[in-house]
Amino acid sequence: MRTVGVAHRALDMLCERALSRHTKGSVLADKQKVQEYVADSYAQLAQFRLFVLNVAWQIDRYQDYKKVRRDIAAIKALTPTVLHDIVQRTIQVHGALGVSNELPLADWWVTAPVLALADGPTEVHKVTVAREVLKGHKPTDSAWPSEHIPTRRAAASTKLGTE
């Protein structure tokens, strides 16, 4: 949740700067790339926030961390990426001021890779996610993928007797 809060602050700073800074006859908020930064940051933060809330709800509901292990690992893998991406966009909109010691952005940006190590390496969390996801799937019994259209058509034709 701390990362959600920091990322939200960075998004607020991005929006404020976009609406305040004038360049080449208009505010940055009128520039398509800056609009893309705002939209991408908002969407990324909204998805991450809802995922974090969902995982917290699952932990409260099940009182069993093993049952929520996959999603906890996914959150730990996503955290540094979300923070990095949103802060990076905010730095871009602030220009040189964004990397100065006069704003918290540079410190937040440096924090992102640290988060990738704080609870263990991101790669380890991704392996956990993959293993847990793969437990819910099974291999096909055929040489063809289960969604192979000619094979499905043939099976349907056989089932319906329309060969």
Side-chain angles (χ1 to χ4, degrees), residues 116-136:
L117 302 170
D119 277 328
T122 299
E123 295 79 7
V124 172
H125 298 307
K126 288 181 178 183
V127 167
T128 300
V129 173
R131 284 182 183 156
E132 294 296 317
V133 168
L134 288 169
K135 284 180 185 177

PDB file of all heavy atoms in Angstrom, residues 116-136:
ATOM      1  N   ALA A 116      12.689  -4.131  -5.754  1.00  0.00           N
ATOM      2  CA  ALA A 116      12.812  -5.387  -6.495  1.00  0.00           C
ATOM      3  C   ALA A 116      13.650  -6.403  -5.733  1.00  0.00           C
ATOM      4  O   ALA A 116      13.677  -7.577  -6.098  1.00  0.00           O
ATOM      5  CB  ALA A 116      13.422  -5.121  -7.875  1.00  0.00           C
ATOM      6  N   LEU A 117      14.333  -5.973  -4.679  1.00  0.00           N
ATOM      7  CA  LEU A 117      15.171  -6.869  -3.882  1.00  0.00           C
ATOM      8  C   LEU A 117      14.681  -7.021  -2.440  1.00  0.00           C
ATOM      9  O   LEU A 117      15.050  -7.982  -1.765  1.00  0.00           O
ATOM     10  CB  LEU A 117      16.610  -6.344  -3.855  1.00  0.00           C
ATOM     11  CG  LEU A 117      17.273  -6.187  -5.213  1.00  0.00           C
ATOM     12  CD1 LEU A 117      18.589  -5.438  -5.068  1.00  0.00           C
ATOM     13  CD2 LEU A 117      17.496  -7.539  -5.853  1.00  0.00           C
ATOM     14  N   ALA A 118      13.879  -6.080  -1.972  1.00  0.00           N
ATOM     15  CA  ALA A 118      13.506  -6.013  -0.555  1.00  0.00           C
ATOM     16  C   ALA A 118      12.873  -7.296  -0.028  1.00  0.00           C
ATOM     17  O   ALA A 118      13.234  -7.769   1.046  1.00  0.00           O
ATOM     18  CB  ALA A 118      12.578  -4.830  -0.317  1.00  0.00           C
ATOM     19  N   ASP A 119      11.938  -7.870  -0.734  1.00  0.00           N
ATOM     20  CA  ASP A 119      11.275  -9.101  -0.308  1.00  0.00           C
ATOM     21  C   ASP A 119      11.778 -10.302  -1.076  1.00  0.00           C
ATOM     22  O   ASP A 119      11.085 -11.293  -1.230  1.00  0.00           O
ATOM     23  CB  ASP A 119       9.756  -8.981  -0.510  1.00  0.00           C
ATOM     24  CG  ASP A 119       9.090  -8.268   0.640  1.00  0.00           C
ATOM     25  OD1 ASP A 119       9.574  -8.405   1.774  1.00  0.00           O
ATOM     26  OD2 ASP A 119       8.074  -7.593   0.413  1.00  0.00           O
ATOM     27  N   GLY A 120      12.962 -10.195  -1.603  1.00  0.00           N
ATOM     28  CA  GLY A 120      13.520 -11.254  -2.435  1.00  0.00           C
ATOM     29  C   GLY A 120      13.504 -10.803  -3.874  1.00  0.00           C
ATOM     30  O   GLY A 120      12.738  -9.920  -4.257  1.00  0.00           O
ATOM     31  N   PRO A 121      14.350 -11.397  -4.688  1.00  0.00           N
ATOM     32  CA  PRO A 121      14.453 -10.974  -6.085  1.00  0.00           C
ATOM     33  C   PRO A 121      13.135 -11.141  -6.851  1.00  0.00           C
ATOM     34  O   PRO A 121      12.411 -12.118  -6.652  1.00  0.00           O
ATOM     35  CB  PRO A 121      15.522 -11.896  -6.661  1.00  0.00           C
ATOM     36  CG  PRO A 121      16.254 -12.436  -5.484  1.00  0.00           C
ATOM     37  CD  PRO A 121      15.288 -12.451  -4.348  1.00  0.00           C
ATOM     38  N   THR A 122      12.847 -10.184  -7.703  1.00  0.00           N
ATOM     39  CA  THR A 122      11.632 -10.219  -8.517  1.00  0.00           C
ATOM     40  C   THR A 122      11.542 -11.508  -9.313  1.00  0.00           C
ATOM     41  O   THR A 122      10.460 -12.081  -9.468  1.00  0.00           O
ATOM     42  CB  THR A 122      11.608  -8.997  -9.456  1.00  0.00           C
ATOM     43  OG1 THR A 122      11.611  -7.817  -8.650  1.00  0.00           O
ATOM     44  CG2 THR A 122      10.376  -8.994 -10.338  1.00  0.00           C
ATOM     45  N   GLU A 123      12.670 -11.993  -9.793  1.00  0.00           N
ATOM     46  CA  GLU A 123      12.669 -13.222 -10.590  1.00  0.00           C
ATOM     47  C   GLU A 123      12.130 -14.404  -9.786  1.00  0.00           C
ATOM     48  O   GLU A 123      11.419 -15.250 -10.322  1.00  0.00           O
ATOM     49  CB  GLU A 123      14.092 -13.538 -11.092  1.00  0.00           C
ATOM     50  CG  GLU A 123      14.643 -12.511 -12.069  1.00  0.00           C
ATOM     51  CD  GLU A 123      15.182 -11.239 -11.412  1.00  0.00           C
ATOM     52  OE1 GLU A 123      15.264 -11.164 -10.176  1.00  0.00           O
ATOM     53  OE2 GLU A 123      15.502 -10.299 -12.166  1.00  0.00           O
ATOM     54  N   VAL A 124      12.444 -14.444  -8.499  1.00  0.00           N
ATOM     55  CA  VAL A 124      11.945 -15.520  -7.637  1.00  0.00           C
ATOM     56  C   VAL A 124      10.430 -15.421  -7.494  1.00  0.00           C
ATOM     57  O   VAL A 124       9.714 -16.426  -7.552  1.00  0.00           O
ATOM     58  CB  VAL A 124      12.639 -15.487  -6.254  1.00  0.00           C
ATOM     59  CG1 VAL A 124      11.990 -16.478  -5.290  1.00  0.00           C
ATOM     60  CG2 VAL A 124      14.125 -15.768  -6.400  1.00  0.00           C
ATOM     61  N   HIS A 125       9.928 -14.207  -7.340  1.00  0.00           N
ATOM     62  CA  HIS A 125       8.474 -14.018  -7.235  1.00  0.00           C
ATOM     63  C   HIS A 125       7.785 -14.444  -8.530  1.00  0.00           C
ATOM     64  O   HIS A 125       6.713 -15.056  -8.500  1.00  0.00           O
ATOM     65  CB  HIS A 125       8.133 -12.569  -6.901  1.00  0.00           C
ATOM     66  CG  HIS A 125       8.680 -12.123  -5.584  1.00  0.00           C
ATOM     67  ND1 HIS A 125       8.458 -12.808  -4.407  1.00  0.00           N
ATOM     68  CD2 HIS A 125       9.459 -11.072  -5.254  1.00  0.00           C
ATOM     69  CE1 HIS A 125       9.062 -12.197  -3.416  1.00  0.00           C
ATOM     70  NE2 HIS A 125       9.682 -11.139  -3.907  1.00  0.00           N
ATOM     71  N   LYS A 126       8.400 -14.137  -9.652  1.00  0.00           N
ATOM     72  CA  LYS A 126       7.816 -14.520 -10.937  1.00  0.00           C
ATOM     73  C   LYS A 126       7.793 -16.036 -11.107  1.00  0.00           C
ATOM     74  O   LYS A 126       6.840 -16.591 -11.661  1.00  0.00           O
ATOM     75  CB  LYS A 126       8.557 -13.844 -12.088  1.00  0.00           C
ATOM     76  CG  LYS A 126       8.274 -12.356 -12.172  1.00  0.00           C
ATOM     77  CD  LYS A 126       8.990 -11.712 -13.335  1.00  0.00           C
ATOM     78  CE  LYS A 126       8.658 -10.231 -13.426  1.00  0.00           C
ATOM     79  NZ  LYS A 126       9.299  -9.608 -14.594  1.00  0.00           N
ATOM     80  N   VAL A 127       8.831 -16.710 -10.633  1.00  0.00           N
ATOM     81  CA  VAL A 127       8.847 -18.179 -10.680  1.00  0.00           C
ATOM     82  C   VAL A 127       7.701 -18.733  -9.827  1.00  0.00           C
ATOM     83  O   VAL A 127       6.998 -19.659 -10.238  1.00  0.00           O
ATOM     84  CB  VAL A 127      10.214 -18.727 -10.209  1.00  0.00           C
ATOM     85  CG1 VAL A 127      10.163 -20.230  -9.941  1.00  0.00           C
ATOM     86  CG2 VAL A 127      11.293 -18.406 -11.229  1.00  0.00           C
ATOM     87  N   THR A 128       7.491 -18.145  -8.659  1.00  0.00           N
ATOM     88  CA  THR A 128       6.385 -18.567  -7.791  1.00  0.00           C
ATOM     89  C   THR A 128       5.053 -18.369  -8.490  1.00  0.00           C
ATOM     90  O   THR A 128       4.195 -19.265  -8.484  1.00  0.00           O
ATOM     91  CB  THR A 128       6.406 -17.780  -6.463  1.00  0.00           C
ATOM     92  OG1 THR A 128       7.642 -18.037  -5.798  1.00  0.00           O
ATOM     93  CG2 THR A 128       5.240 -18.161  -5.564  1.00  0.00           C
ATOM     94  N   VAL A 129       4.859 -17.214  -9.098  1.00  0.00           N
ATOM     95  CA  VAL A 129       3.616 -16.947  -9.829  1.00  0.00           C
ATOM     96  C   VAL A 129       3.420 -17.980 -10.930  1.00  0.00           C
ATOM     97  O   VAL A 129       2.341 -18.585 -11.054  1.00  0.00           O
ATOM     98  CB  VAL A 129       3.600 -15.518 -10.423  1.00  0.00           C
ATOM     99  CG1 VAL A 129       2.392 -15.316 -11.328  1.00  0.00           C
ATOM    100  CG2 VAL A 129       3.617 -14.469  -9.322  1.00  0.00           C
ATOM    101  N   ALA A 130       4.448 -18.207 -11.719  1.00  0.00           N
ATOM    102  CA  ALA A 130       4.343 -19.153 -12.839  1.00  0.00           C
ATOM    103  C   ALA A 130       3.997 -20.552 -12.341  1.00  0.00           C
ATOM    104  O   ALA A 130       3.108 -21.213 -12.886  1.00  0.00           O
ATOM    105  CB  ALA A 130       5.641 -19.176 -13.637  1.00  0.00           C
ATOM    106  N   ARG A 131       4.683 -21.014 -11.310  1.00  0.00           N
ATOM    107  CA  ARG A 131       4.401 -22.354 -10.770  1.00  0.00           C
ATOM    108  C   ARG A 131       2.963 -22.470 -10.288  1.00  0.00           C
ATOM    109  O   ARG A 131       2.285 -23.471 -10.541  1.00  0.00           O
ATOM    110  CB  ARG A 131       5.360 -22.677  -9.626  1.00  0.00           C
ATOM    111  CG  ARG A 131       6.739 -23.030 -10.090  1.00  0.00           C
ATOM    112  CD  ARG A 131       7.624 -23.393  -8.920  1.00  0.00           C
ATOM    113  NE  ARG A 131       8.976 -23.664  -9.379  1.00  0.00           N
ATOM    114  CZ  ARG A 131      10.052 -23.558  -8.628  1.00  0.00           C
ATOM    115  NH1 ARG A 131       9.951 -23.208  -7.364  1.00  0.00           N
ATOM    116  NH2 ARG A 131      11.235 -23.823  -9.130  1.00  0.00           N
ATOM    117  N   GLU A 132       2.488 -21.452  -9.579  1.00  0.00           N
ATOM    118  CA  GLU A 132       1.123 -21.476  -9.050  1.00  0.00           C
ATOM    119  C   GLU A 132       0.085 -21.422 -10.169  1.00  0.00           C
ATOM    120  O   GLU A 132      -0.939 -22.092 -10.116  1.00  0.00           O
ATOM    121  CB  GLU A 132       0.912 -20.337  -8.052  1.00  0.00           C
ATOM    122  CG  GLU A 132       1.745 -20.454  -6.785  1.00  0.00           C
ATOM    123  CD  GLU A 132       1.385 -21.669  -5.953  1.00  0.00           C
ATOM    124  OE1 GLU A 132       0.193 -21.957  -5.777  1.00  0.00           O
ATOM    125  OE2 GLU A 132       2.321 -22.347  -5.469  1.00  0.00           O
ATOM    126  N   VAL A 133       0.328 -20.610 -11.178  1.00  0.00           N
ATOM    127  CA  VAL A 133      -0.592 -20.514 -12.319  1.00  0.00           C
ATOM    128  C   VAL A 133      -0.620 -21.838 -13.075  1.00  0.00           C
ATOM    129  O   VAL A 133      -1.689 -22.346 -13.441  1.00  0.00           O
ATOM    130  CB  VAL A 133      -0.210 -19.346 -13.259  1.00  0.00           C
ATOM    131  CG1 VAL A 133      -0.968 -19.417 -14.569  1.00  0.00           C
ATOM    132  CG2 VAL A 133      -0.460 -18.003 -12.568  1.00  0.00           C
ATOM    133  N   LEU A 134       0.551 -22.422 -13.301  1.00  0.00           N
ATOM    134  CA  LEU A 134       0.629 -23.664 -14.068  1.00  0.00           C
ATOM    135  C   LEU A 134      -0.050 -24.833 -13.352  1.00  0.00           C
ATOM    136  O   LEU A 134      -0.519 -25.766 -14.010  1.00  0.00           O
ATOM    137  CB  LEU A 134       2.088 -24.006 -14.389  1.00  0.00           C
ATOM    138  CG  LEU A 134       2.735 -23.093 -15.436  1.00  0.00           C
ATOM    139  CD1 LEU A 134       4.239 -23.323 -15.490  1.00  0.00           C
ATOM    140  CD2 LEU A 134       2.099 -23.280 -16.802  1.00  0.00           C
ATOM    141  N   LYS A 135      -0.157 -24.769 -12.024  1.00  0.00           N
ATOM    142  CA  LYS A 135      -0.859 -25.817 -11.276  1.00  0.00           C
ATOM    143  C   LYS A 135      -2.318 -25.923 -11.702  1.00  0.00           C
ATOM    144  O   LYS A 135      -2.923 -26.983 -11.600  1.00  0.00           O
ATOM    145  CB  LYS A 135      -0.807 -25.543  -9.775  1.00  0.00           C
ATOM    146  CG  LYS A 135       0.521 -25.839  -9.131  1.00  0.00           C
ATOM    147  CD  LYS A 135       0.463 -25.530  -7.643  1.00  0.00           C
ATOM    148  CE  LYS A 135       1.808 -25.703  -6.979  1.00  0.00           C
ATOM    149  NZ  LYS A 135       1.760 -25.336  -5.547  1.00  0.00           N
ATOM    150  N   GLY A 136      -2.889 -24.841 -12.168  1.00  0.00           N
ATOM    151  CA  GLY A 136      -4.293 -24.817 -12.573  1.00  0.00           C
ATOM    152  C   GLY A 136      -4.526 -25.216 -14.021  1.00  0.00           C
ATOM    153  O   GLY A 136      -5.639 -25.075 -14.521  1.00  0.00           O
TER     154      GLY A 136
END
